[in-house]
Amino acid sequence: MGGIQNRFWSHIVVAWILTTAAITQRGSSPHLGLHALPMAVIASWVWAVHCTHDCRTQVAEGFRAQHHTWNSVLRKPPFDPRPLYDAVTQRMRSTEEYLHAVTRKHRLQQLSIAFIDGWTPNGASNEAASLRDRRRAHIWLGSNWFAPDDTVCLPAVLEHELGHILRHDNQRSTRLQAAGVLLVVLAAAWLPLSHAILTAAALRLLYIGWIWRCELACDARAVRACGRAAVILLWRRNTDLLSTLPRPARLWHSLRSATTHPPYWLRVWWALHISAPAAPTSHPLAALPAAYAQTHRSPRDPGPAGRPV
C-alpha cells in the first residue's frame, strides 16, 4: 500500500514540476532575469521534501516488513523443519549478529532487514537494496541470497549495501536531484526549448554517471572486505542469470538497469583493478553453516512463494 501511495505522489510531484517548466517556458526570454528563480526554488524544495518523506516512509515500512518476512521465517519454525530450514536460519542469525555489530560500530539507532520478495509483490529473490534516514537504515534482500548455491555471495552483497548506507548515498542523491530540478526549471525559463531539453538530458547523464560512481565505490568496499574473488563471483553469477533470459528481455533489462547500475562487465573489470589488500581478512559471514552441506535444493527453487523455507 505504501508503495502505491509513494508512486502516486511521485507522479503528482513530477507533473507539478513539468507544469512549472511549461509555464516559465511560455514567458521565457533572455531578459527574464531572476523572475523565474522563486518558482525554480519552490519546485526544488518540493522535490527534496517529497524524496525525504518517501525515504522516511520506506525505512519505517522496512521495520514492519522485517516482522512479517524475516522474523516470521526465523522465529516461527515449521512443525517438521527440513535441513534447508536449519541451514537458512543459522545463516540469518549470523547475519543479524553481524548487522548488530555494524549498528554499534557506526552508532546507528536502527538497522532493519527484510525479504523483499516476501513483502513486495514485484520483488525478486535476487535483488538487494538499502536506504538510510538519519540514524535509521534498512536493507532489503532477496531470499536467494540464503539459498545453498548463492549464499556464498551474501557477504559481498551485504558489504555493498552497507556501503550505500554508510556513505549516505540516498541523502546525497536527494540533494543532487533537487539541484537538478532547480536547473531544469531555470533552463526552461531562460533558454529556448531545444536548448532546455539538451540541458535536461545533459543533467540526467551527469546524474547517471554519479550513480555509477557510487555503485563502483560500494563495490570497492566489498572488494576490500571480502576479496576480489567474492565480488567477481557475485557479478559473474548475475551475468549467468541474465543470460538465461530471452534476448528481448535481456536487452530490456540492460537498458533499464543502465540508468541505475553499471554493466556487469564494468563491475568485474573494476573489481579486478581496484586497489585492495592481496589477502583480506576473513569476513565474519564467509564461513557457511555445516547444515548447508546437507542440503541439495537448487538456489533457483527457494521454496513456496519465494521464501527460503
Side-chain angles (χ1 to χ4, degrees), residues 42-235:
I42 292 173
S44 177
W45 177 79
V46 168
W47 183 257
V49 169
H50 162 72
C51 291
T52 301
H53 174 74
D54 183 65
C55 176
R56 190 164 298 168
T57 300
Q58 290 188 55
V59 170
E61 187 180 62
F63 183 76
R64 188 160 56 97
Q66 175 174 339
H67 175 72
H68 290 285
T69 61
W70 182 276
N71 292 350
S72 67
V73 174
L74 191 59
R75 318 297 185 200
K76 299 178 182 179
F79 178 75
D80 183 20
R82 294 170 287 175
L84 178 61
Y85 178 85
D86 294 333
V88 167
T89 52
Q90 287 184 49
R91 191 68 162 157
M92 291 171 66
R93 291 190 184 96
S94 299
T95 302
E96 273 194 341
E97 293 172 0
Y98 179 66
L99 292 181
H100 288 161
V102 171
T103 302
R104 292 190 299 269
K105 179 179 178 181
H106 296 279
R107 299 182 180 180
L108 295 173
Q109 180 182 345
Q110 173 187 303
L111 177 55
S112 55
I113 185 170
F115 287 123
I116 190 169
D117 49 325
W119 182 254
T120 304
N122 297 325
S125 56
N126 293 303
E127 289 184 356
S130 57
L131 283 172
R132 177 170 181 168
D133 173 40
R134 299 179 183 175
R135 294 178 57 204
R136 298 188 306 153
H138 179 74
I139 294 178
W140 291 102
L141 289 179
S143 58
N144 270 359
W145 302 117
F146 293 86
D149 292 344
D150 289 335
T151 196
V152 293
C153 297
L154 177 62
V157 172
L158 273 181
E159 292 301 332
H160 178 93
E161 297 306 328
L162 286 172
H164 285 303
I165 291 173
L166 299 178
R167 285 167 42 87
H168 301 263
D169 278 345
N170 58 287
Q171 291 96 326
R172 295 162 65 197
S173 175
T174 296
R175 290 193 290 268
L176 285 176
Q177 289 182 39
V181 169
L182 176 72
L183 294 175
V184 166
V185 174
L186 290 178
W190 292 344
L191 300 176
L193 181 59
S194 59
H195 292 178
I197 292 174
L198 289 176
T199 299
L203 289 172
R204 177 61 175 167
L205 290 176
L206 287 173
Y207 180 70
I208 292 174
W210 178 82
I211 291 177
W212 283 25
R213 180 177 177 274
C214 291
E215 293 296 330
L216 295 176
C218 293
D219 286 354
R221 171 189 168 87
V223 167
R224 296 185 180 106
C226 307
R228 300 181 197 278
V231 176
I232 292 172
L233 175 64
L234 169 63
W235 301 132

Side-chain angles (χ1 to χ4, degrees), residues 240-255:
D240 292 341
L241 286 175
L242 187 61
S243 66
T244 63
L245 298 176
R247 187 182 297 272
R250 189 161 65 247
L251 178 61
W252 170 246
H253 178 277
S254 299
L255 292 175

